[in-house]
Structures are given as structure tokens and as C-alpha cells.
Amino acid sequence: MSEIAGKMAALVGANLLAKNHGGSGVLLSGMSGVARGNVVVLGSGTVGSNAARLASGMGADVSVMGRNSAKLGRVDRSTDKNVTTRFANEVTITRLLQDADLVIGAVLQKDARTPRIVTDAMIQDMKPGSVFVDVSIDQGGCSQTSRPTSHKEPTFEKHGVIHYCVPNMPGAYAKTATEALSNNTLPYVIQLAETGFETLIAGSGPMRTALNLADGKLHNEAIAGTFGMEHTPL
Amino acid sequence: MSEIAGKMAALVGANLLAKNHGGSGVLLSGMSGVARGNVVVLGSGTVGSNAARLASGMGADVSVMGRNSAKLGRVDRSTDKNVTTRFANEVTITRLLQDADLVIGAVLQKDARTPRIVTDAMIQDMKPGSVFVDVSIDQGGCSQTSRPTSHKEPTFEKHGVIHYCVPNMPGAYAKTATEALSNNTLPYVIQLAETGFETLIAGSGPMRTALNLADGKLHNEAIAGTFGMEHTPL
Amino acid sequence: MSEIAGKMAALVGANLLAKNHGGSGVLLSGMSGVARGNVVVLGSGTVGSNAARLASGMGADVSVMGRNSAKLGRVDRSTDKNVTTRFANEVTITRLLQDADLVIGAVLQKDARTPRIVTDAMIQDMKPGSVFVDVSIDQGGCSQTSRPTSHKEPTFEKHGVIHYCVPNMPGAYAKTATEALSNNTLPYVIQLAETGFETLIAGSGPMRTALNLADGKLHNEAIAGTFGMEHTPL
Amino acid sequence: MSEIAGKMAALVGANLLAKNHGGSGVLLSGMSGVARGNVVVLGSGTVGSNAARLASGMGADVSVMGRNSAKLGRVDRSTDKNVTTRFANEVTITRLLQDADLVIGAVLQKDARTPRIVTDAMIQDMKPGSVFVDVSIDQGGCSQTSRPTSHKEPTFEKHGVIHYCVPNMPGAYAKTATEALSNNTLPYVIQLAETGFETLIAGSGPMRTALNLADGKLHNEAIAGTFGMEHTPL
Amino acid sequence: MSEIAGKMAALVGANLLAKNHGGSGVLLSGMSGVARGNVVVLGSGTVGSNAARLASGMGADVSVMGRNSAKLGRVDRSTDKNVTTRFANEVTITRLLQDADLVIGAVLQKDARTPRIVTDAMIQDMKPGSVFVDVSIDQGGCSQTSRPTSHKEPTFEKHGVIHYCVPNMPGAYAKTATEALSNNTLPYVIQLAETGFETLIAGSGPMRTALNLADGKLHNEAIAGTFGMEHTPL
Amino acid sequence: MSEIAGKMAALVGANLLAKNHGGSGVLLSGMSGVARGNVVVLGSGTVGSNAARLASGMGADVSVMGRNSAKLGRVDRSTDKNVTTRFANEVTITRLLQDADLVIGAVLQKDARTPRIVTDAMIQDMKPGSVFVDVSIDQGGCSQTSRPTSHKEPTFEKHGVIHYCVPNMPGAYAKTATEALSNNTLPYVIQLAETGFETLIAGSGPMRTALNLADGKLHNEAIAGTFGMEHTPL
């Protein structure tokens, strides 16, 4: 789903920049003779690199910021020439956000709350009518100004910057998302139908670890912990 | 303005395909393992080729249809490999529209009403939730189903297809549009300031032909004809 | 050799589509104003991705089908925009083969007979004069209709589809294939000449495992098993 | 048809280089670690530039030779980086042919026999098993060694070089060629059906000049001259 | 020669930016994680577009400034995505020069002294150690700070900016320049040898207009005017 | 630093080819109608692939030579079409060097002196005025003719070939190099400031292994060995 969310982030951002959506009226792709829009992507993982690819495809000037040199190198080599990679630190983030028309938050930390690397002050320094799409909102958001919104009312304005913070973004492109999900789950469904439930669970494959509930008992330790329920090991 | 309108058409269409905007939920760029969206562009002029470039940049499969072999060849050579050019005739248009997720009407005929090459029946044959953006609406529209809308209420649904028919599209990206307009008009303003009105009008340059009204008299013959007013030759 | 076989498959297929070779007369690259050919590649490994690259280079519309998401993603990012990746299942394969002008079988399973994922019925559904190149024929072929042919008589027709099933494809481009082979074997030959046979065999390097026969004794267990001969461990 | 002939020339040549077709066994696209094939295209018009594009797409090293600086510049800017343009003179042609694996003759002179810029001696100097495809054969051929062949027996060998000199090349890809032809003629057929023969001929449009025979009289002066028949002006 | 001069300008500029040549130490192509250099090209003709292409090929961020919309559009469509085109006016030039690492003057006005669009104040505003290469120096230079230099002492420093103003730039790459020159003059030399001097001069071809001196008489009116000599019409 | 050194090598080489720097006067990028320069890169690691990318970006014909098939394949897939990869052996190196305008030595062997794969004889066979940039000079150089030079006097001539052998190349582009270095060291500096010296050294992270000297004692065994000093284990 990260691939869809990343691509969507660039698309949604380009759209919110329109005057009638409250944006500054900058067309990311520019046109001949006129400056293009500046897109800053915070994060160089799957979400970030896909957001960068789509924004680059639309013709924007794109900066991808990250702290992992190897990942930045990979993004650098596999994207078009309007994508620059930048090592992320407070000074550089602050400066790049001041010139940005669209900022995409794609900071994801495994098994932890997303760090809030964008401060309230940085948002205040952004140009009026610019847009901030926080894809990392489903793990808490990467800006002090982020709070979850919904597909019904997807945006709010703060310090003159339009914030889009819908946690379940891929739901908007349900057909593509469903096909992607089916591709990855269908093999397991077939295996289940052909091999049978008991045999799969008894084995050592991924199906055993995937079992959450069976015969009224909860086998997933993490869920049990979260909800304070009893946990029965398999 | 045609360059902006073309790019905008692809962007607006991609956005309307989202479920929450009433579309089929197809993400034009697809993702690895999943089919991409099909975009059909009717017309191979400035609007059409710019729409094709942006849709191609987003990763869609794009067909540009036209009747001018030289223009089709130029589009073919100057776009990426996911853009195909097709000679436009009724049979081909009908067939391609059936598979389309997004259709962009960019048919412009000089000094005449746009021909209605898309019929009501063709629209009925399109997939439910697909999108039709008619850029040629400001000259009457290229589909029997088109009628002008506004930035406030930009779309209507007909035969299950979302129609976007805003005549003044570039207004949405006012900042980029204004910069483009200034670039092209500023030289004349400067000339006006430096040379003076009378001298310019007396000359044979473009300023003479551009004069519509002066000293309470109407010098533009076409406008005089349209509004049934008296025409005074310069 | 997989790299050559993959590239050759696209080239051979493009050529067999000519009327005078029995094909449907579709030029894969199309031309401006005319539809291009559809190429479906079954498999996303070295053979498949190289076949896709050459077909894409010739200007065809290419779909690469596979079941490994990571591999599909890699093909997606490293090929041009006329290459789409699709997750392979029976429904999708059936549908894509109906529209294909050229199908390339590049399904390779390690240490096992290639699975026959193309059925007789799927071939019957293909367009007359379309072409099927089965690169996986050297491990049994991936279609129920495949049977080995030779460079002398490389094709046969079945259900109106031209089949090309030559097991040793790279032999046709012997010069390129030989240079590739030499590049990879020469270092060992030099090592053999410099270090001497006994020393190398006594060591733990790849030369020890590569030894099949010595002093009239068979040291390769797999070959011994296949031919029912006596096996002498080193 | 020049577009198809050019693309076909590269495809046919790549195929004839296979050992089993008598060629040197060089795969034009090479592979990683191995040299690619050298393609020399004589002529920078529609045939030449399309031949260069397909050869470049297959991964060969391509040199396009011509005498028109403006055309060479256009080819240079609109092709990929493995295409070099070279000003054509006897010295350069001789030297480049010595290193070529495939030579494509695309020299077309308007209203005149093609000049024979390739001499018997240059062909003798080429590498054994290399291929010469003479697209200009329908206007007499651009080499002293060229003579027309047919789709049935398309090649002959001279000085160790395989010659392919079929005058009506596009016939091999009849489906694509027919669609292209229909695209360009259909508008006239429709005009004929709607407006009627007499009206069109009486007018000053292209249909009047296109008329060869009517009411048993020959109206085309050039044909009359060629066959020594009586010419009746319209 | 404009093509070479343009390419050279980017190359020379990249080199002068090195610390040991007095530059700011910015590598135009940057590297992953680090900002790239900014190149501003003044002029969108042959010199400008070639300078932009080479700077873009090296990986810099490039802005091409011009006043001809059609030319800017052509540069926009035929260059890579790290090239932006900007309409040139005093405000924009001033702002872009402040951020530039390398500025290339490629402003050429036909039959007239180059306008001095870069002022002393703009140069003062540039970053210390940045580089200005004025290709238009052979027609007077496009900056108030420009004055001709030589291949021996090619640069001088003014307001902290390194100026390179060698009028005959292509001389540095004499081999490439000579081959280019020969390509374009050889046909005339051959014609001269084959047809003879008198016949050519008597005709109406380009050789007649190219004649400057013959039989001790000066036939070129412009040269006669410049040097106050007697002019004899042919 | 390898990334900068590689890019710089191509830039420095292109510059030294100018007549006024003693080179042959070949412009690597050529121009339309004229042959481009040949660049041979010895080595396919970080230095080699970056040198190849910049030379390719300038428009040269580039051959990357190496002995690691996997690395060559990666370079092949991730570079433009004017880059060819070649398996390195004595015969091929000798032949390619004869045609080269610029040779870049990027042979790096881990923990060992660079092997001298370029012999004095190979250099003698090169064209007069061609250029050899030996990036591997800081580990001894990869040619029998290499010896270290300095930024002040960076080149010497041997057998008519200009040698550039500055060990600390990135120093010339100090600004870019410093930013790159800071990006990679800053995180450690921050960690040092926040966590404190003793805690970090006591831990098992990279800071412990990075410690060379503390409290007047030498903790790095390799340095101790090289200088014959006493080594105190942590």
C-alpha cells in the first residue's frame, strides 16, 4: 500500500495547490518560460521514492530528504534528473521548506511512533497557500501541526498551509489498491483451500504466524497485550 | 494558456478518478503488478500534447488521437514510450473509449465551433466511474453530452461518466497562468510606455491590429459584427 | 546465456510476425498513427526482463507477468514506460494472451520441470498469426502445446499460432555467446594453467565442486544418479 | 511507408546476422561485458532516422551518415545516446563500413536514381558475415553490388556480405502497413462518397491532380511519357 | 562553431569552479545527499541550448533564460528534466544570478552588438567564487564587466566572480572544430575543383556571394565599407 | 569521496583534452556530424560507475571494463545507452586503449596495492595527446607509468599521453566534498555531544572501533603496526 500512498500524495498535493482548493495557484509542472513548483519529500523509503517519482513525472523540482546514505544513493540513481537527494538535518529541512510549494511527509520508523521532525515554526515559515501532505499520519504524523483527517473532510489550514492528513489514503483508489492486495493474498487463499486449515497451522510457514484467532482463543500476543485480553500460545 | 489547460486536464482527471470524487477508484499510474489506467486524448495540438505529456509522466497508458499525420508524428517522436498515436476515425474512437479510464477532449478547430466527435452513444459505452474532461468546452465542447460548468461546481454525471467542463480552466492555477501571461504581454507594455500610444498605432506593428477601442470608437470589425455595433476603421 | 536467450526471443518473435514467415503482419513497433504490437512475457527473471527490454526498445507495448512481487517491482523501476508488470494468475494470463501478438515463455523453476502455465485452450484463444516463443523449452516448456524444435526447422503451427521452441537459442548468435562464455570461464582456465590441477582440486574453491570426471572415476553424484553409474566421492 | 521500411530494415538486419541465416553470429544488442554490434545507416531522412531509432532501441551502436547538416542535427537531438551522426564522405564511409556488422542503405534522392555511394571495393572490405540491407533498391539501390530480390528469396551473398534487397519491404508487415495506408487514404474515399466524382475533379483540390485515368483517357502526363501513350490534359 | 562554443562553455565553467582554479569548490553535478550546482544560461539559441544540454548532462540544475517563447518551448521539450526555461526580464535575471554557481552568456543579436543585459551590480550580487563564461564576447559581450581575454590568460576576477571571456573558444578543441568545419566547406572545395572558378562565379549559387577578392579587386561591400577601401561590384 | 573522485575524473579529463592544456583537441561530446570522444573506464565500482555516468552525460562513447560480471551488469542496466560494459582482459584493454581519447583508472582492490594492469607498452600505443587520469593513484596507481602529482602541478607527459595523478582529487571541489563529509559525520558528532565520550566507548557501536588515541595511548592496532609503536587494546 506504501507504493499507492506515495504516488497519491504527489497527486493530491498537486491538486490542492489549485486556487479553488485554497492553494497558492502554482501548477507543479510549470510551463515553458515559467518556474516550476518545488516539492520536498521527507523520507526516502517506499512512500518517499514513489512520491518523488510521480512529482518528477509531473515535471516539478523535487528534493528527497533522508538520513540513510545508501537509500539516498538508490533514489538518486533510479529517478529522473529533476530529483535531488539531500541529507536531512534541521538546518536543511528549515531552509528547503521555506521555498517549497508542496511538502510530503513520508517519514516512517519501524515499530515506533514517527518522529516529529517538522516543527510548528517550520510550518509558519512556509509560503502562504503551500500544501503539506502527511502520509505518516497513520503512525502519528511527522509534524507538530498534523492531526488525522478523513476522506470526507480531508484538509485543514494551519499557519496558512493546507494540511492533508488522511490516515487511509489508498482507500481513495480502491480499485487499484484491491487488485494489489488480491495479488499478494490470493496465493495464501489458494493454499488454504488446497491444503486445509489444520495442516497449514501445524506447519512452520507464514500461515502459522498469521493466525490471530481460532476456536475462540486469541493467539496473537501483541493484540492480547494491547487490549488486555488473555493470550493462548499456539 | 493551452499549455496549462492541457497539463491541468490530466491532473484534474487523475484526481476525479478517486472513489471519494465519484470515480472508479483507478490510480492512473498503477503500481508494480497492477494494470495502469488508460487515458485517451482527442486532439494532437498544444492542449492534447501537453495533456499526453503529463498523463504519461504520471505513468498512465496514453493514446493521442488526431487526423493530422504530421502532428501525430511529432507527438510520437517527442513523448515517452507509454504514449501511442492513433489516427482518429469513428470506429477507432468508439473502441478506444470503451477501454478508457480518462478521456480528454482537446479538439480545437480554428475560427469555428468544435465538431462534436464524441456521441451520446460513445459515452454510454464507457466504463462506469470513468472521467471525461472536455477542454474544448470554451468553443462549444467536443461531445454531445458536454455542457459548461464552473470552478464552484465543476462536474456532473451522465451515463455513469463524470464530466468536467469548466471553460476557464487555467484560472485554478492563477499564479502560474499569470506569470505566463505577463511574460508574453510585458514587452508590449514596455513598448507602449517607451514609444507612446499614437506612434505605435500609426505604425504597422501588432499593436495597430490589437486596438479594439479608442476615443469612444470601436475599431475591431469582428466584435462590431458580433454585437451589432458600428465599426470605425482605423 | 539467459541474457542472450531473452533478447533473442523478442527479436525472433518480431521477425516471425512478418507475413512471409506465416505471421499476422503486425510490426511490433507500429508507426505514428497506428497501434503497436502487444508483447506478453511470462516470467520476470533474467530471460523475461531481457526479453521485455528488447521488445520495449523496439517500441512494442509489453506486459511482464510474474508471481514474485519484489522481482516485478525491480522490472517496473528498471524498464521504460511501455513496460507494465502484472501479477500472474490464470484469469489475467488468459485475458492478456487473447490480445497478444507475441508471447514469450520465460518461466523457469529451479531444479524442476517448468510448470505448464499456458494451456491448450489459452493458445486456441489467441489471435491467428500470433507468435509464441518458448524459451523455457529446454526445461520442458511452459505450454501444453510446446515441443522442441531445431535451428533448421525452428517453428510449427498449432491452433493458428506460430510456435518457436528451439532449446539452444544462443547458438544462433554464436559470436556474442562465445565471447560471453569466454569472459566467465577464462579466469578459471588461467588459474588452472598457473596453479595446476592437483593443487586446485585439493583446495576448497569452486574448481573442486566443478570436477566431474578424473582418472576414469565419476565424482559428480547427480550425474551418477541420473545415468545409474557408480559414484566415487573425492 | 518509409517509416515502416526503415524500422523493418533494422529488424531484418538483426535477424540475418544469426549464424543459421548465414550471418556472423553477432547479436546487435550485445550483453553486459560483451561488445555490441555496429550499425551504419547511410541517409538521414525518414527511412534512415527510423532505422536508426529501431537499431538504437535494440541496443546497437549506431552511426547515421548524411550530407545535410540540418537533418543530421535533428537526428542527433531526437535519438538516444548510442546514435552518432557523421558527415558522409568517401573516406568516412569506407572506414565506418570496415567496422560495421550491419549497413542500412537509406539514400533517397528526389526524382532521380539513387547515387551508388557504396562501391564494390567497400563491400569487399567489410567483415565476413556482415549484412547489407538496401532500402533504396526500389530506386536502383545505393551500392554497386545491389540487385533486386524478392520476399521468397530475399538475400544473396557477395564478397562474404549478405545482401537483402527486397523492393517492397512493407509488404511483409501487411497489417501495420495497411492500417497506415487506410489512415491516409480514407479521408479522400469519404470525400469522394460524400461530394461525388465530378465535383471533386472540377475543383482545385488534390483529387484533381491525383486523377490518372477517366473515360478511357490518360490524364497523367508523366505516365503517358513513360509508356509512350497519348496524354489528354484535364 | 556555436554548437562547440556552447558545449565548451559548460565544460570550462565546471572546471573553473574548482578551488585550485579560484572557484568556490562546487561540483556542478553534486552527489547523492548534497545539493547540485546552479547554472544560468542567458540565451536560448544554438549556443545557449547546447550549453544547457552539456550542463544538464553533467547533472547541474539549469535555467535557460530567453525572450522568444517559441525558442524557450523548443528548449523545454528537447532537454532533460533538470532544465527549466524562464522568460528573461531584469527582475528574474537579477534573482537567478544571486543563486547561480555558473552563468553562461549566450546572448546573440543578429547584425548588431550584443546588448549588455548583465549589469555591474548584478555581478556584485553574485556569490564569491562563482563563474561567468561570456560566449558572446566576440560580439562585445553581454555584461558590463566583460572584456576579451585569450587562451593563454583566459580569466580575470571582478567583484569576486571569475570571468572567462575568450573570443575564439572553439580553438581549444581544434580537432573537433576542424572536422566540423571541413564537413561544411569540403563540398564547396570539390565543386570548385570540378566545375572551375569562372563558371561558379558566373552562376547564381552561394559561391558568387562568397567571393571577397579576385584579380586584385575587392568585391565584398561590407568589408570595403569597414576598411574604407574601394568596392568593385561583380 | 569515491563518488566525487569519479565524477571529477571525467571532468578533468575532458578539460585536459583541450589544445591549450596539451591535449589532442577532441571535444568528448562531439557535435552533430562529427565523431565523439572515446572514454575507457578501468573499474566498475563506485569511482568507475560515477566516472562513466558523467562522461556519458557529456555525450562521449564510454566503455566500462571490469572483471565482476554482477557489477558490469549493474552498470549496464543503470547507465545510458552510450555506455558499454566490457569484460577486462589484457587483449581487450590493449585494443580499447589504442582508440581511447581519455582513460580513467578506477581499479581499486580492497586492503591491497592496486594491481598495475596498464603497462608502459599500452601507454605507448595510445594516441598522442590523449589523457590518462589515474584515480587509483592514492593506492599506488594502476599503470606502470603513474606517479603521484599535486593540485599545483597536476599533470606530466609520458609517451605523448598526459597523465593526471593527484591523490587527493576531491579537495578541488572542497565545498561539495565538505558537505558530503559533514552529512556522514555529523550524526556521530551529535551522538558524542549528547551521550558523552565514556558511554560511547564503553558500548559496542562503531564509535568504539573508531577510537585511535585516548589518554596518550594508541588503541588502533594497524596504525601501531605501521609505525612500530606500542599498541594498547581497549
Side-chain angles (χ1 to χ4, degrees), chain B residues 15-76:
Chain B
N15 199 54
L16 290 174
L17 279 166
K19 270 284 173 204
N20 48 321
H21 294 125
S24 60
V26 168
L27 183 68
L28 282 188
S29 52
M31 51 175 288
S32 60
V34 180
R36 308 162 179 174
N38 274 311
V39 177
V40 174
V41 179
L42 302 166
S44 55
T46 305
V47 173
S49 60
N50 277 287
R53 262 184 212 107
L54 196 60
S56 154
M58 291 193 290
D61 276 328
V62 183
S63 298
V64 175
M65 309 195 76
R67 285 203 172 135
N68 183 322
S69 291
K71 277 190 183 176
L72 289 181
R74 236 170 356 237
V75 171
D76 197 43

Side-chain angles (χ1 to χ4, degrees), chain E residues 3-4 7 11 14-15 18-20 24-27 29-34 54 57-58 172-176 179-180 183, chain F residues 3-4 7 11 14-15 18-20 24-27 29-34 54 57-58 172-176 179-180 183:
Chain E
E3 197 179 334
I4 296 192
K7 289 177 175 173
L11 189 56
N15 199 54
K19 270 282 173 205
N20 48 321
S24 60
V26 168
L27 183 68
S29 52
M31 51 175 291
S32 59
V34 180
L54 196 60
M58 291 193 291
Y173 290 97
K175 202 169 164 201
T176 301
E179 192 177 337
N183 285 345
Chain F
E3 197 178 334
I4 296 192
K7 289 176 175 172
L11 189 56
N15 199 54
K19 270 282 174 207
N20 48 321
S24 59
V26 168
L27 183 68
S29 53
M31 51 175 290
S32 61
V34 180
L54 196 60
M58 291 193 291
Y173 290 97
K175 203 171 164 199
T176 301
E179 192 178 338
N183 286 345

Side-chain angles (χ1 to χ4, degrees), chain A residues 1 3-4 7-8 10-12 14-21 24-35 53-54 56-59 101 127 151 154 164 171-177 179-180 183-184, chain B residues 1 3-4 7-8 10-12 14-21 24-35 53-54 56-59 101 127 151 154 164 171-177 179-180 183-184:
Chain A
M1 290 303 98
E3 197 178 334
I4 296 191
K7 290 177 176 174
M8 245 191 95
L11 188 56
V12 161
N15 198 54
L16 290 174
L17 278 167
K19 269 283 173 205
N20 48 321
H21 293 126
S24 60
V26 168
L27 183 67
L28 283 188
S29 52
M31 51 175 289
S32 59
V34 180
R53 264 185 210 106
L54 196 60
S56 154
M58 290 192 292
D101 295 294
K127 295 184 288 188
H151 278 302
Y164 176 100
Y173 290 96
K175 203 171 164 198
T176 301
E179 193 177 337
N183 285 345
N184 289 298
Chain B
M1 291 301 101
E3 197 178 334
I4 296 192
K7 289 177 176 173
M8 244 192 96
L11 189 56
V12 161
N15 199 54
L16 290 174
L17 279 166
K19 270 284 173 204
N20 48 321
H21 294 125
S24 60
V26 168
L27 183 68
L28 282 188
S29 52
M31 51 175 288
S32 60
V34 180
R53 262 184 212 107
L54 196 60
S56 154
M58 291 193 290
D101 294 295
K127 293 185 289 188
H151 278 304
Y164 176 100
Y173 289 97
K175 202 170 164 201
T176 302
E179 192 178 337
N183 285 345
N184 288 298

Side-chain angles (χ1 to χ4, degrees), chain E residues 16 18-19 21-24 120 123-133 143-149 153-165:
Chain E
L16 290 174
K19 270 282 173 205
H21 293 125
S24 60
D120 194 272
I123 295 285
Q124 281 188 48
D125 269 6
M126 285 178 66
K127 295 184 289 187
S130 53
V131 173
F132 176 54
V133 175
S143 168
Q144 290 178 347
T145 56
S146 298
R147 57 174 168 78
T149 58
E153 229 171 302
T155 62
F156 63 90
E157 184 261 308
K158 175 97 194 193
H159 302 318
V161 174
I162 307 172
H163 288 61
Y164 176 102
C165 307

Side-chain angles (χ1 to χ4, degrees), chain C residues 197 201 206-224 229-234:
Chain C
F197 176 70
I201 297 303
M207 292 299 263
R208 185 181 169 88
T209 9
L211 185 76
N212 283 350
L213 273 171
D215 295 329
K217 278 164 194 159
L218 184 56
H219 298 293
N220 183 305
E221 195 168 358
I223 293 179
M229 294 170 77
E230 194 183 348
H231 170 236
T232 315
L234 258 183

